Amino acid sequence: MLADVAEKYFLEGDFNCAESVLLAAKDVYELGLDQESCHRLVSAFGGGMGCGLLCGAIAGAMAALGQQAVTCRAHVTEGFKELCTGMAADMEAALGGTNCSVIKPALFVEGRRCAETVRRAADVLEKHMDALRAAKD
């Protein structure tokens, strides 16, 4: 479900990969963020920060995870480091790496751009967000 929303933002809304994943998470998980601030906060992460480094879809997902999990500050939120480490490992497995320069050549499709990357990152995020919510219940 999250992947469908993220893909719609990416392909129909013309948002970048980071914006699309975070905006989808905002909608699905009701993160308490407004759309304008939400996409502007992660806009610089698209295209691996414009230079092929950290995949923007991963950055958007990590931002959503932080918004959902952090109680006041990351370093005092119990288990947050481990949560991030686990999601980063799952992202690397799902995407074949963490840098845009590695992921894009493998998953980019003409006409759909990085939609597959956005979908895969959203799937990983959904798994972690659902587990986080289940642990809180």
Side-chain angles (χ1 to χ4, degrees), residues 9-90:
Y9 272 114
F10 187 73
L11 293 175
E12 296 175 24
D14 197 32
F15 289 96
N16 73 27
C17 50
E19 295 165 340
S20 297
V21 172
L22 182 56
L23 286 167
K26 171 195 74 70
D27 291 351
V28 172
Y29 294 101
E30 300 174 352
L31 296 179
L33 300 168
D34 69 89
Q35 183 165 330
E36 180 77 11
S37 297
C38 188
H39 81 80
R40 290 181 71 189
L41 283 171
V42 295
S43 61
F45 290 99
M49 298 179 282
C51 59
L53 294 176
L54 177 66
C55 169
I58 296 173
M62 287 295 191
L65 188 69
Q67 177 68 14
Q68 184 66 37
V70 172
T71 53
C72 66
R73 292 180 310 285
H75 68 278
V76 296
T77 300
E78 189 172 329
F80 186 63
K81 179 181 177 183
E82 294 77 14
L83 189 62
C84 291
T85 300
M87 191 162 90
D90 288 350

